[in-house]
Amino acid sequence: MFIGREKELSLLETLHSSSKFAYLVLYGRRRIGKTSLLKEFSKSHSVIFYSAQAKNDSLNLADFSKTLQMYFTGTTFGTFSDWKAAFTYITSQVSEKRITLIIDEFPFIAEVNPTIKSILQHTIDHQWKEKNLFLILCGSSVSFMETEVMGSKSPLYGRSTSNLELQSFDYLQSAAFFPNYSNEEKLLSYGILGGIPCYLQAFSDASPLAQNIAQNILSMGSFLKDETQNLLKMELREPAVYNSIFEAIATGSSRLNDIAQKIHEEQSKCSKYIGTLKTMKLIEKITPSGEKASSKKSIYMISDNFFMFWYHFIFSNRSYYELLGENESAQEIMEQLPLYMGGIFEKICTEYLVRLAKLKKLPFIPHTIGRWWGSDPRTKKENDIDILAWDKHHQNAIFCECKFRNKPFAMDEYNDFMRATEIHTKAEHRFYYLFSKSGFSESVTTRAQNEGVILVNLDDLFLVM
């Protein structure tokens, strides 16, 4: 079953419905669902769909030639002499009926034959620009697509009529994969799997979460058991160093210096490797909300929930879990999930606020939104706010506290939160949101009503559409 991507499909339909030349660059990290999106689009249209492979140029050209010839004639008559001839053949076949050409995993061709970019640029400029043709170039190497296909030094620069970087699902979109789970189980599933469709499809809401963990992550031969390692081996040359960086971050080291010390590597080397992981959308640099990107307070976090889960629970415990057994290991992980979910819940609540902002249901449109941390000048101690949103002029602020615990939000926590917000004196207009998995105490509920504080429980997160 294909779930979500309504806006993305709508864009493809709009581009396809035009009678003018259209060229879309579609890209995103591996497993994000690019090919699935293109296949879903192709179900209702006649398209030339060619998926390149990691092999030499001659073999890809031969496969491409067969794909074209079978589409137009239903038979094959040999490999074209070169890519220029193949593209010219397409030109000769264009008529009033719109032709859609999809080249999936384009980097596999362009990396072994860099000239194809110039050949394609020349074909677009001199043959296709006035034709009823829809071209889609798709790729999983984000850096390659951004630099070698869309970059200013690329021959293809400026030729695309649309660009689309496919993003992972948020918590609400991910919940659609598990209609039979409770709302808490849906959030736990998101905390484990993140918003990658391929990972979400590995779990079944016909089975308890613990069973899914045992069978689909811990079990020998399961897809997710070695997914992180397989992905790193596909993309990187030195997975050992990257593994160490992931483990350091997953176990609490978030500053560059701390990560370098934890894995016993030079800061410069760590910075380079982290930069690669940022390009792959697996790690993100986070700055206290409202501060400049160059802030010395910046930290690094694992942006992919499944990678975070895997390195937090499994990477250093694999031998132990094998001895303990899949079912017992899954139960142990389940017991530790509430503590692990603390940071994930902040991410979920942020995504909820972003949805509200898009619906114009917040007091203002945030210019920055995210965690804030820093020194409290009153106590000279570190303080933090789970979510802090500022407007463009730093006159309006939304302060949020998020609790994923098995007890109601208590009055002492309310007081601590309010004190923490007092150091942000620049905010002329202040708004407060409290999020709690287990609801709120009666005293907190009464006080919040009197003070205009918004209370959000687990079910409320699923009412925003």
Side-chain angles (χ1 to χ4, degrees):
M1 182 185 299
F2 186 82
I3 296 174
R5 303 299 189 199
E6 291 84 2
K7 290 183 179 180
E8 292 84 352
L9 281 171
S10 178
L11 172 62
L12 291 173
E13 292 292 344
T14 299
L15 294 173
H16 181 270
S17 64
S18 171
S19 60
K20 296 181 179 180
F21 172 74
Y23 162 30
L24 170 69
V25 178
L26 174 65
Y27 64 108
R29 56 154 290 191
R30 292 192 186 278
R31 313 295 197 198
I32 200 74
K34 301 179 299 299
T35 301
S36 296
L37 172 66
L38 293 174
K39 286 183 176 179
E40 184 67 18
F41 166 75
S42 300
K43 287 180 180 178
S44 54
H45 301 287
S46 176
V47 305
I48 307 168
F49 196 120
Y50 176 66
S51 185
Q53 299 181 56
K55 52 187 180 183
N56 68 36
D57 187 56
S58 297
L59 293 178
N60 267 316
L61 177 58
D63 290 345
F64 186 66
S65 300
K66 291 178 184 177
T67 301
L68 293 182
Q69 293 160 18
M70 287 299 297
Y71 177 82
F72 288 114
T73 69
T75 187
T76 60
F77 47 83
T79 302
F80 292 109
S81 58
D82 52 29
W83 289 98
K84 180 180 179 181
F87 295 146
T88 299
Y89 174 72
I90 295 173
T91 307
S92 70
Q93 299 298 314
V94 177
S95 60
E96 293 183 2
K97 179 183 177 182
R98 191 159 182 77
I99 290 178
T100 298
L101 171 62
I102 299 173
I103 302 180
D104 196 10
E105 294 300 349
F106 179 71
F108 283 149
I109 303 174
E111 284 174 343
V112 295
N113 180 5
T115 64
I116 194 172
K117 292 177 290 184
S118 294
I119 296 170
L120 196 52
Q121 170 255 315
H122 187 272
T123 304
I124 291 172
D125 289 350
H126 298 279
Q127 297 182 32
W128 290 354
K129 216 165 189 180
E130 304 302 323
K131 297 291 184 179
N132 190 8
L133 180 70
F134 179 21
L135 170 66
I136 302 175
L137 297 186
C138 180
S140 296
S141 174
V142 175
S143 61
F144 186 93
M145 297 299 286
E146 290 181 339
T147 305
E148 301 298 325
V149 177
M150 297 185 294
S152 59
K153 295 182 180 180
S154 169
L156 290 168
Y157 176 72
R159 268 67 185 183
S160 63
T161 56
S162 299
N163 302 322
L164 175 60
E165 180 180 7
L166 211 57
Q167 303 290 339
S168 60
F169 289 141
D170 69 5
Y171 77 95
L172 196 55
Q173 294 165 321
S174 300
F177 286 79
F178 310 110
N180 296 318
Y181 270 170
S182 68
N183 286 340
E184 181 177 347
E185 289 172 320
K186 290 173 182 177
L187 295 188
L188 289 171
S189 298
Y190 180 66
I192 295 168
L193 301 167
I196 304 299
C198 191
Y199 300 165
L200 291 162
Q201 290 171 340
F203 274 26
S204 169
D205 60 7
S207 303
L209 263 178
Q211 186 176 331
N212 271 307
I213 294 172
Q215 293 181 350
N216 300 304
I217 296 179
L218 300 175
S219 176
M220 181 180 295
S222 62
F223 161 57
L224 293 175
K225 181 177 177 63
D226 298 312
E227 165 63 7
T228 61
Q229 302 308 288
N230 291 337
L231 193 147
L232 294 184
K233 289 175 183 176
M234 289 169 64
E235 297 278 353
L236 307 167
R237 294 181 180 179
E238 297 182 76
V241 179
Y242 293 101
N243 274 326
S244 300
I245 291 173
F246 276 123
E247 184 184 26
I249 296 175
T251 54
S253 299
S254 56
R255 299 184 186 277
L256 180 60
N257 181 55
D258 296 336
I259 297 169
Q261 289 185 356
K262 183 76 173 284
I263 69 173
H264 306 290
E265 296 283 1
E266 294 292 329
Q267 276 197 40
S268 56
K269 183 176 182 179
C270 279
S271 180
K272 177 183 176 182
Y273 280 59
I274 288 173
T276 300
L277 295 175
K278 284 171 60 184
T279 301
M280 293 173 65
K281 310 298 183 180
L282 296 176
I283 282 180
E284 59 183 331
K285 182 180 180 181
I286 299 176
T287 302
S289 179
E291 298 191 14
K292 294 181 180 179
S294 58
S295 171
K296 294 182 179 179
K297 299 177 185 177
S298 297
I299 60 174
Y300 294 97
M301 300 295 292
I302 299 174
S303 53
D304 181 277
N305 288 0
F306 180 68
F307 270 70
M308 180 65 183
F309 171 86
W310 199 88
Y311 282 95
H312 181 89
F313 287 105
I314 297 172
F315 182 65
S316 60
N317 290 314
R318 283 176 294 181
S319 297
Y320 166 68
Y321 286 156
E322 287 177 5
L323 293 174
L324 185 61
E326 297 160 9
N327 294 327
E328 290 80 2
S329 300
Q331 288 297 333
E332 186 173 294
I333 289 172
M334 287 295 297
E335 292 170 3
Q336 299 171 19
L337 267 183
L339 182 60
Y340 161 81
M341 282 293 294
I344 301 294
F345 192 53
E346 293 175 15
K347 179 179 180 180
I348 290 169
C349 296
T350 302
E351 291 172 353
Y352 169 80
L353 292 173
V354 169
R355 279 183 167 267
L356 287 183
K358 290 179 179 179
L359 294 170
K360 305 297 187 292
K361 291 184 177 181
L362 286 182
F364 59 88
I365 300 300
H367 187 256
T368 60
I369 183 170
R371 274 184 63 196
W372 178 88
W373 61 96
S375 178
D376 187 335
R378 301 167 302 180
T379 62
K380 307 301 181 183
K381 294 181 180 179
E382 286 291 307
N383 209 335
D384 68 275
I385 295 171
D386 291 342
I387 305 172
L388 172 57
W390 289 101
D391 72 340
K392 195 170 185 179
H393 305 290
H394 274 223
Q395 294 176 340
N396 300 296
I398 296 173
F399 302 91
C400 307
E401 182 79 359
C402 313
K403 299 292 185 187
F404 197 87
R405 296 178 180 174
N406 293 326
K407 60 180 182 178
F409 201 112
M411 184 57 73
D412 60 337
E413 295 170 327
Y414 190 112
N415 291 328
D416 290 342
F417 165 64
M418 286 299 186
R419 279 194 293 269
T421 68
E422 291 173 359
I423 64 175
H424 294 278
T425 57
K426 290 183 180 180
E428 297 178 15
H429 305 286
R430 310 162 73 87
F431 307 90
Y432 304 93
Y433 287 70
L434 303 181
F435 297 84
S436 175
K437 183 194 102 169
S438 302
F440 306 86
S441 69
E442 187 176 340
S443 58
V444 166
T445 301
T446 300
R447 182 176 171 186
Q449 289 175 343
N450 293 333
E451 297 181 351
V453 175
I454 305 297
L455 303 184
V456 184
N457 60 40
L458 221 56
D459 293 336
D460 293 329
L461 295 172
F462 292 86
L463 297 178
V464 55
M465 298 298 288

